[in-house]
Amino acid sequence: MLDLSHRAEGEQLMKSRRDFLKIAGLSAFALGTASALSLVTGNKAVAAPTGVSPVKGTYTHEPNALHAKRWAMVIDTRRFTKPEDFQRVIQACNLAHNVPSIPGNQEIKWIWTDKYAHVFPDDLNDYLPARILHGDFLLLCNHCDNPPCVRVCPTGATFKRESDGIVVMDPHRCIGCRFCMAGCPYGARSFNFRDPQDYVKDVNPEYPMRTRGVVEKCTFCTERLAEGKLPACVEASEGAILFGDLNDPGSPVRKALAQNYTIRRKPSLGTQPGVYYII
Ligand code: SF4
């Protein structure tokens, strides 16, 4: 008698558990769908842009996609001599990725400029040429080999693609804790304190808009690489920024590194940045 009642209780428990899992599964599916659809501008859900997997929010690879074992960038700082040289590159990135233009200290930046002393504090002395000491330098996420931002993310929203070394962000998994911002020693990440869609003048419908409460940063243009195109900044730089496979001795970046003296940001931290500067 006792055994039978235990068995009945057990079966009831299993049924409730099955029902719960069924409902949880459906809810997760519904949430996932809603989340994928909110690759959006605001409250209106729109279809995911071309090449974007609506489930994962990542870009599917076209047959003509560009591939590398380790994508890297070389910026020839000697070629950036006037404000327009920087603006052309920054605008190309902002337009391609719907980077909002928010005034004040809630700025969102994927690629921006700063002075040498802030960019390369390890390589500073008072007697550097004026062009270097007082000039501007382009900054972006370094897509580090050993990225501290990835180590501190509690949800796996930011991760390094083992296939090509790019450090990406999945805004759907970002809970806005901003540990990654504290972890990044390069200030390469921005937090959306406001709804970014209110601050984008010319919306690119091909690129997903982020939402308030998530972190964002440069992605080395994964969406363009998937379509066989170079990053927007590289294209706009007219040869001043090189991009290629660090593992390929014949790539433009390896050739530039072999022919020029280059430095990287804060090498003493051991992050192994993937962005090199010809000074
Ligand atoms: Fe992460 Fe910052 Fe390195 Fe980019 S630059 S990979 S955000 S630690």
Side-chain angles (χ1 to χ4, degrees):
M1 192 61 193
L2 194 64
D3 280 343
L4 280 178
S5 86
H6 273 167
R7 208 163 120 192
E9 256 176 46
E11 277 170 2
Q12 184 55 40
L13 202 64
M14 287 301 286
K15 184 176 178 306
S16 317
R17 196 157 170 222
R18 272 197 307 272
D19 288 348
F20 170 77
L21 289 173
K22 216 187 287 173
I23 292 163
L26 284 171
S27 310
F29 174 77
L31 277 173
T33 309
S35 176
L37 283 174
S38 66
L39 297 171
V40 272
T41 49
N43 302 327
K44 285 175 281 169
V46 296
T50 319
V52 178
S53 154
V55 179
K56 291 183 180 161
T58 54
Y59 286 82
T60 52
H61 279 235
E62 305 291 336
N64 58 343
L66 300 179
H67 298 282
K69 289 220 168 75
R70 196 334 179 185
W71 287 117
M73 182 176 277
V74 176
I75 301 177
D76 188 346
T77 65
R78 301 167 302 185
R79 304 266 310 262
F80 288 86
T81 54
K82 45 191 187 306
E84 303 87 76
D85 298 334
F86 295 98
Q87 276 319 309
R88 199 173 53 245
V89 164
I90 293 169
Q91 271 170 16
C93 172
N94 290 352
L95 277 171
H97 305 111
N98 293 320
V99 177
S101 179
I102 301 177
N105 60 3
Q106 295 182 348
E107 181 191 20
I108 302 288
K109 48 193 179 34
W110 284 36
I111 183 165
W112 71 105
T113 62
D114 204 346
K115 298 293 178 197
Y116 186 90
H118 293 147
V119 181
F120 301 109
D122 296 356
D123 295 282
L124 183 64
N125 71 64
D126 291 342
Y127 308 102
L128 289 168
R131 170 185 79 82
I132 293 173
L133 265 187
H134 307 299
D136 287 318
F137 291 82
L138 271 180
L139 306 175
L140 65 157
C141 168
N142 291 286
H143 298 276
C144 306
D145 271 347
N146 185 19
C149 58
V150 169
R151 280 206 303 278
V152 297
C153 177
T155 64
T158 191
F159 54 95
K160 185 175 160 62
R161 299 203 308 196
E162 289 311 321
S163 58
D164 59 11
I166 296 182
V167 176
V168 284
M169 265 298 296
D170 179 354
H172 303 112
R173 276 193 274 170
C174 178
I175 55 170
C177 68
R178 287 172 274 164
F179 284 4
C180 60
M181 292 177 70
C184 172
Y186 304 104
R189 292 171 168 269
S190 308
F191 181 69
N192 283 286
F193 285 96
R194 308 178 190 200
D195 192 338
Q197 71 159 335
D198 298 338
Y199 299 90
V200 179
K201 236 194 259 162
D202 302 309
V203 175
N204 171 11
E206 293 294 308
Y207 199 81
M209 184 81 75
R210 282 70 63 198
T211 54
R212 187 158 72 101
V214 301
V215 170
E216 60 179 271
K217 70 170 194 73
C218 153
T219 64
F220 263 1
C221 284
T222 49
E223 82 287 3
R224 291 174 60 92
L225 297 174
E227 292 176 351
K229 296 179 194 159
L230 287 170
C233 61
V234 175
E235 200 175 86
S237 75
E238 299 173 358
I241 305 178
L242 303 169
F243 193 71
D245 189 350
L246 205 54
N247 281 24
D248 173 5
S251 73
V253 290
R254 281 292 296 276
K255 285 184 184 163
L257 292 174
Q259 290 160 9
N260 298 277
Y261 177 70
T262 49
I263 58 175
R264 291 184 289 176
R265 297 187 65 195
K266 303 182 182 175
S268 56
L269 298 178
T271 54
Q272 298 292 345
V275 177
Y276 296 75
Y277 293 84
I278 301 172
I279 297 296

